[in-house]
Amino acid sequence: PGVARYVGIANHHAVPVLDLSGAFDEEDPSAVEIAAWDDHPNARGHRLLFHALASAAVRDPELHRALFGAARPVSGPVPPAFRPGGSP
């Protein structure tokens, strides 16, 4: 089943979803998986996932509050690495 199905189920039950599936969109799968037979993320894959999560937390005050216990300060610019399309 695809991500959309799981997101739909979560939404139906009012469960918040943070979809990081786009974190690897620009990557060759072999560059972010542990091995050809194991598609779990390697160190680079985990770094990309972290940047996707951090980007989402910087952009979404409620997510930031859920993760860190406080809303993101509204002053100051978002660092380039955490903007959409920013490089990790």
Side-chain angles (χ1 to χ4, degrees):
V3 172
R5 178 170 181 245
Y6 294 123
V7 170
I9 292 168
N11 288 337
H12 177 75
H13 295 283
V15 175
V17 173
L18 182 59
D19 180 4
L20 302 179
S21 62
F24 301 146
D25 283 353
E26 303 297 319
E27 300 293 320
D28 174 358
S30 67
V32 294
E33 62 190 14
I34 291 175
W37 49 268
D38 185 349
D39 62 358
H40 288 89
N42 60 17
R44 176 163 175 69
H46 279 95
R47 192 168 29 259
L48 291 168
L49 288 170
F50 166 78
H51 279 273
L53 177 60
S55 294
V58 168
R59 289 190 313 272
D60 183 338
E62 290 197 28
L63 175 59
H64 194 280
R65 187 177 302 107
L67 292 172
F68 304 112
R72 178 180 74 81
V74 292
S75 62
V78 174
F82 298 118
R83 293 182 195 144
S87 56

